[in-house]
Amino acid sequence: MALSDVSHEPPGYACPFCAIAGGAEPEFTAWREGQVFVQIAKHWDPGGPGRALVIPTAHFENIYALPDDLAGEIARMVRLVATAMRRGYPCDGVAIRQNNEPAGGQDVWHLHTHVVPRHNDRPNPEYGHDLADSSERAHYAALLRQSLEALV
């Protein structure tokens, strides 16, 4: 069996990223281009707010199932988001992470890449699970959108 044939989605899984790709939560979407979109995450890291997710519009559970052309499009957008974040956010660097399968830390069964702002004077934890305020998420979506518009 190929790794791309293994699924961890529970029966009846309602994919939140497919809903967002279909138009849900537009106020938190910072960018859409080609087959990918950028969403401001609903959880903040203890090291600071503004984490962005780069997500393909089509449903692929993980990296094993991802077509090469889409992988390239995602990598390009991750680079653009990292650059826009570094220029447009108050941050000193970025961390990039993409998780696969439960053992790899994946908990949403739709491929996505985290682009996380980091700060020299704050801890760099693996993950944070503080829920973000909606107005703060919308603020960071607008901030990132503005910075991406200046790059593209």
Side-chain angles (χ1 to χ4, degrees):
M1 178 182 287
L3 287 174
S4 60
D5 295 332
V6 176
S7 178
H8 298 282
E9 293 180 12
Y13 183 67
C15 179
F17 293 158
C18 286
I20 294 166
E25 300 188 1
E27 67 275 23
F28 309 129
T29 301
W31 199 256
R32 283 184 181 268
E33 183 177 299
Q35 300 177 77
V36 299
F37 65 98
V38 179
Q39 186 80 359
I40 299 301
K42 69 179 183 177
H43 292 104
W44 284 164
D45 292 296
R51 178 179 6 162
L53 305 174
V54 177
I55 308 165
T57 55
H59 185 88
F60 295 96
E61 184 172 327
N62 53 43
I63 197 93
Y64 313 122
L66 192 64
D68 289 344
D69 62 327
L70 185 52
E73 195 171 336
I74 291 168
R76 176 185 171 277
M77 186 54 63
V78 166
R79 180 183 56 80
L80 285 171
V81 168
T83 302
M85 190 177 281
R86 184 64 180 88
R87 290 181 178 178
Y89 279 19
C91 68
D92 300 307
V94 299
I96 296 167
R97 185 170 185 146
Q98 195 277 312
N99 304 320
N100 297 281
E101 300 183 285
Q106 186 177 10
D107 60 3
V108 176
W109 310 115
H110 185 129
L111 180 107
H112 57 287
T113 303
H114 301 253
V115 183
V116 186
R118 296 293 195 205
H119 307 272
N120 289 329
D121 62 344
R122 297 183 199 160
N124 289 324
E126 283 275 325
Y127 286 103
H129 295 287
D130 299 330
L131 273 177
D133 175 84
S134 292
S135 63
E136 209 174 10
R137 282 180 77 197
H139 166 74
Y140 275 93
L143 193 62
L144 188 57
R145 185 179 310 109
Q146 183 178 47
S147 190
L148 280 162
E149 286 171 353
L151 281 175
V152 176

